[in-house]
Amino acid sequence: MSLQSTPRSNRLHIGIFGKRNSGKSSLINALTNQKIALVSDVAGTTTDPVYKSMEIHGIGPCVFIDTAGFDDVGELGLMRVSQTKKAMEKTDIAIVVFTDSQIEEELKWISDFKEKNTPVIAVINKSDILDNTKELCKIINEKSGLNPIIVSAKDKTGIKKIQEELIRLLPEDFEAKSITGNLVKEGDLVLLVMPQDIQAPKGRLILPQVQTIRELLDKKCVVLSSTTDKLDEALSCISKPPELIITDSQVFKTVYEKKPKESKLTSFSVLFANYKGDIDYFVKSAYAIENLTENSKVLIAEACTHAPLEEDIGREKIPKMLKKRVGEKLTCNVVSGADFPSDLSEYDLIIHCGACMFNRKYVISRLDAAKEQGIPMTNYGVAIAYLSGILDKIDF
């Protein structure tokens, strides 16, 4: 991703689902008017989901997800279908492709999407060679309630109708969601406390910092940045207290003890807990820390798949803080990337990172899984605020 690109996590995710050789890849090429997906007459050409970032007129920055056929077979095929199911969790709008009268599998996937409140577009592809499209349309409508769009990816007919439907189904709050919410307004002074440690490679800021700074500038705020060791000097340089201080969660307590009483305080991780997920559930779940014992199990989930670093916040610092409070025998398991277990029943608490690399849909799908199984789930910043004794003193 270049510095000029919208991060993938902030883009609308459009997933294409269907049987093998139903023309999913050809459909993506037709929708984007580019040859971005590999096309072949051989069933099963697409294996793992392929994510392609695009800019589409009327939609804006988006990601097309080209998935393996959900009718794949064999041991390897089942693994591919499993990856396709994971892609479901990231999909903001689903396009389900039909190409024959055997539609039971497609209808099941449509039903699954509806259960997740994911908008679905039904598409009958290959109209250039099918001769029963009207009858198929009628059957799909009767069984799913959807009015299919008849297209030919090969001839690029019907493509405009899909684009129009994508625009119609855009989530109402997709662009409205804000990182800083109502915490600041135009003209406010905002102080960012950003320790540059091993987690932030030399010459770079981490993504949440970059995105937050950009939003604050868009809101016409005055932004002042400092490292933790220069916080006193930064505060002495300004004539009035900052309206808001945003800090790295790891130095929450240090900043809280030094901040002016008039200034609101939050962290990048807490802001992203609200931006990406359900902040109320995260805060409520943080109090489950009080009930942990040495026999408890905590799942720590990272969005990134980076190699473990010294003093890593998820793998080292948070477990140390928890064990100091609960006891050294507390079990803390760490997963990263897409490796989030479907069965969460063995855990007493889930602590998730800020998820700057995930889209909101994916985070909400994990939250829904936790809620359905009755497992409290919080995030790094909220958990650290609780462990530091200042959760009721921060803003979000």
Side-chain angles (χ1 to χ4, degrees), residues 77-87:
L78 292 175
M79 293 173 65
R80 292 171 177 167
V81 173
S82 175
Q83 292 301 312
T84 297
K85 287 181 178 178
K86 288 183 179 180

Side-chain angles (χ1 to χ4, degrees), residues 237-255:
C237 289
I238 54 181
S239 59
K240 64 176 183 177
E243 178 67 26
L244 175 67
I245 300 176
I246 306 173
T247 182
D248 186 290
S249 300
Q250 299 177 70
V251 291
F252 240 149
K253 193 161 187 178
T254 300
V255 177

Side-chain angles (χ1 to χ4, degrees), residues 295-345:
N295 296 321
S296 299
K297 292 185 73 173
V298 176
L299 177 66
I300 297 177
E302 299 177 332
C304 301
T305 55
H306 62 264
L309 301 172
E310 183 182 353
E311 288 298 292
D312 185 274
I313 182 171
R315 297 171 185 266
E316 299 290 338
K317 292 184 178 179
I318 290 178
K320 283 182 180 178
M321 294 176 74
L322 289 170
K323 289 178 180 180
K324 183 178 180 180
R325 187 184 188 99
V326 177
E328 287 298 322
K329 293 182 180 179
L330 175 72
T331 300
C332 294
N333 294 341
V334 180
V335 294
S336 59
D339 294 332
F340 192 76
S342 56
D343 182 2
L344 302 167
S345 59

Side-chain angles (χ1 to χ4, degrees), residues 29 77 87 107 124 142 144 147 160 187 212-213 221 240 251 262 277 288 308 344 355 391:
N29 290 342
L107 292 174
I124 299 175
E142 289 174 351
S144 70
N147 293 311
K160 185 173 177 59
T212 304
I213 291 171
C221 294
K240 64 176 183 177
V251 291
E262 303 94 335
L344 302 167
L391 182 53

Side-chain angles (χ1 to χ4, degrees), residues 20-33:
R20 290 173 297 166
N21 214 20
S22 60
K24 300 185 296 298
S25 300
S26 296
L27 188 60
I28 289 180
N29 290 342
L31 282 166
T32 61
N33 201 31

Side-chain angles (χ1 to χ4, degrees), residues 334-364:
V334 180
V335 294
S336 59
D339 294 332
F340 192 76
S342 56
D343 182 2
L344 302 167
S345 59
E346 66 178 297
Y347 295 104
D348 300 285
L349 176 65
I350 302 166
I351 305 179
H352 207 291
C353 71
C356 62
M357 301 301 292
F358 288 166
N359 67 330
R360 177 174 167 80
K361 182 74 174 184
Y362 196 19
V363 178
I364 293 297

Side-chain angles (χ1 to χ4, degrees), residues 168-392:
R168 188 184 73 81
L169 292 175
L170 282 172
E172 291 183 4
D173 64 344
F174 191 78
E175 292 294 338
K177 197 70 177 173
S178 165
I179 297 172
T180 54
N182 297 319
L183 293 177
V184 293
K185 62 184 184 301
E186 182 175 344
D188 283 346
L189 174 62
V190 182
L191 173 60
L192 308 180
V193 183
M194 306 187 296
Q196 300 304 291
D197 56 15
I198 193 170
Q199 307 296 324
K202 186 175 178 64
R204 290 171 53 193
L205 297 176
I206 61 174
L207 186 57
Q209 295 170 349
V210 173
Q211 290 182 266
T212 304
I213 291 171
R214 173 56 196 262
E215 181 177 291
L216 290 170
L217 294 175
D218 286 342
K219 287 187 172 185
K220 305 298 182 182
C221 294
V222 178
V223 184
L224 175 65
S225 301
S226 169
T227 52
T228 315
D229 59 320
K230 295 296 182 181
L231 177 57
D232 291 330
E233 291 179 40
L235 290 170
S236 68
C237 289
I238 54 181
S239 59
K240 64 176 183 177
E243 178 67 26
L244 175 67
I245 300 176
I246 306 173
T247 182
D248 186 290
S249 300
Q250 299 177 70
V251 291
F252 240 149
K253 193 161 187 178
T254 300
V255 177
Y256 173 74
E257 291 171 349
K258 293 187 175 186
K259 83 173 189 71
K261 64 180 181 179
E262 303 94 335
S263 301
K264 293 178 286 189
L265 175 66
T266 191
S267 78
F268 295 99
S269 183
V270 170
L271 290 177
F272 272 72
N274 191 24
Y275 182 52
K276 298 283 187 177
D278 181 344
I279 187 64
D280 292 330
Y281 192 73
F282 283 145
V283 170
K284 178 183 176 182
S285 294
Y287 288 91
I289 293 173
E290 195 64 34
N291 300 321
L292 295 177
T293 69
E294 286 192 305
N295 296 321
S296 299
K297 292 185 73 173
V298 176
L299 177 66
I300 297 177
E302 299 177 332
C304 301
T305 55
H306 62 264
L309 301 172
E310 183 182 353
E311 288 298 292
D312 185 274
I313 182 171
R315 297 171 185 266
E316 299 290 338
K317 292 184 178 179
I318 290 178
K320 283 182 180 178
M321 294 176 74
L322 289 170
K323 289 178 180 180
K324 183 178 180 180
R325 187 184 188 99
V326 177
E328 287 298 322
K329 293 182 180 179
L330 175 72
T331 300
C332 294
N333 294 341
V334 180
V335 294
S336 59
D339 294 332
F340 192 76
S342 56
D343 182 2
L344 302 167
S345 59
E346 66 178 297
Y347 295 104
D348 300 285
L349 176 65
I350 302 166
I351 305 179
H352 207 291
C353 71
C356 62
M357 301 301 292
F358 288 166
N359 67 330
R360 177 174 167 80
K361 182 74 174 184
Y362 196 19
V363 178
I364 293 297
S365 72
R366 291 187 169 188
L367 268 166
D368 287 343
K371 291 176 183 178
E372 287 169 9
Q373 297 178 53
I375 309 299
M377 179 172 169
T378 188
N379 103 317
Y380 284 12
V382 177
I384 291 173
Y386 179 85
L387 289 165
S388 301
I390 60 170
L391 182 53
D392 60 337

Side-chain angles (χ1 to χ4, degrees), residues 100-165:
D100 57 48
S101 58
Q102 304 300 314
I103 62 173
E104 291 77 14
E105 194 75 17
E106 288 87 344
L107 292 174
K108 179 182 180 302
W109 280 67
I110 287 174
S111 176
D112 289 345
F113 277 119
K114 287 183 176 180
E115 285 185 8
K116 296 177 180 293
N117 296 315
T118 303
V120 183
I121 301 172
V123 169
I124 299 175
N125 193 18
K126 301 188 178 182
S127 63
D128 51 304
I129 58 175
L130 294 178
D131 55 9
N132 62 338
T133 54
K134 288 186 179 179
E135 181 62 25
L136 187 54
C137 257
K138 182 180 178 182
I139 295 171
I140 293 170
N141 177 256
E142 289 174 351
K143 295 191 174 184
S144 70
L146 299 175
N147 293 311
I149 299 172
I150 300 173
V151 308
S152 168
K154 179 181 178 182
D155 297 338
K156 295 187 178 180
T157 58
I159 300 302
K160 185 173 177 59
K161 289 185 179 179
I162 297 178
Q163 293 171 335
E164 291 171 350
E165 189 67 0

